Amino acid sequence: MPATTLSSSDRNASPPRSHDGARSGPALSSHTDNDRLDGHTPPRVSSLPDSADEGTTTLVQANDGAARIGAAFLTVGSDNLAAAIEANALCGRLITDMTKSSIDAVSNAAVTYAGLGRECLTCRTPADVIEFQKKAMEGITQTYVAATKLYSDLFESYSAAFEPLMARSADGPERVFRAFAD
């Protein structure tokens, strides 16, 4: 049956009333222009237009991309946290070792200078003074070597402790950029 077009007067007119007083007509009818002549409505096939499929595909792709980017950020964040924990543990061990080294250096210096103080009081001749000066220079040299070692260990320790952080911080942005590029 061909589709019926309504004139403007038909569209503005009130639909006719049925026997129970309810209005019926094109606006309120449950039948469409696709009704068959025998009065049965054909089953409707729900299919989305191509633009809706494309929109759905685009949304799925955007969701997948956002999930990849979010996963990359989480991975980088957890890696950086693991690096910080690793650096903290390493730094703790190194500081413990440095503390022992510094205590040993201070103890050795105290013993050396206490012994020099006793020897200074025993100097009677110029040869004793020369011997005392020689031992004092050895003590100063030992203290200087111990202090140099302590400072060297300090810088090496912090370099070793920050190495995992630096390696991961250099790698993190690259991984995030790759996630954006994909």
Side-chain angles (χ1 to χ4, degrees):
M1 177 173 165
T4 309
T5 56
L6 299 175
S7 66
S8 63
S9 63
D10 291 336
R11 276 184 244 142
N12 294 333
S14 297
R17 295 188 180 267
S18 66
H19 67 298
D20 62 354
R23 294 184 184 261
S24 64
L28 299 177
S29 172
S30 62
H31 299 288
T32 63
D33 291 342
N34 293 336
D35 288 348
R36 293 187 183 162
L37 291 175
D38 59 2
H40 296 291
T41 304
R44 294 184 183 243
V45 178
S46 175
S47 67
L48 296 172
D50 288 341
S51 61
D53 287 340
E54 290 172 11
T56 302
T57 302
T58 302
L59 286 175
V60 167
Q61 289 172 349
N63 185 37
D64 291 345
R68 270 194 318 277
I69 292 168
F73 273 110
L74 286 174
T75 301
V76 167
S78 66
D79 284 351
N80 287 341
L81 184 60
I85 291 169
E86 180 183 343
N88 185 30
L90 180 61
C91 195
R93 286 191 305 272
L94 295 172
I95 286 175
T96 301
D97 293 344
M98 285 178 37
T99 302
K100 289 177 184 176
S101 297
S102 64
I103 289 172
D104 289 345
V106 169
S107 295
N108 289 337
V111 168
T112 300
Y113 290 123
L116 287 174
R118 283 191 304 272
E119 285 193 35
C120 179
L121 296 176
T122 60
C123 289
R124 304 266 187 247
T125 64
D128 292 340
V129 172
I130 292 174
E131 186 64 31
F132 169 74
Q133 287 179 338
K134 180 182 167 192
K135 288 182 181 180
M137 286 304 292
E138 288 173 359
I140 290 171
T141 304
Q142 289 173 354
T143 303
Y144 177 76
V145 167
T148 303
K149 183 181 180 312
L150 185 65
Y151 284 116
S152 175
D153 289 347
L154 174 71
F155 289 113
E156 287 178 20
S157 297
Y158 281 112
S159 296
F162 284 108
E163 188 175 305
L165 290 173
M166 299 308 287
R168 293 219 176 93
S169 67
D171 184 44
E174 181 181 328
R175 291 186 343 204
V176 171
F177 290 140
R178 271 189 264 138
F180 273 107
D182 291 343

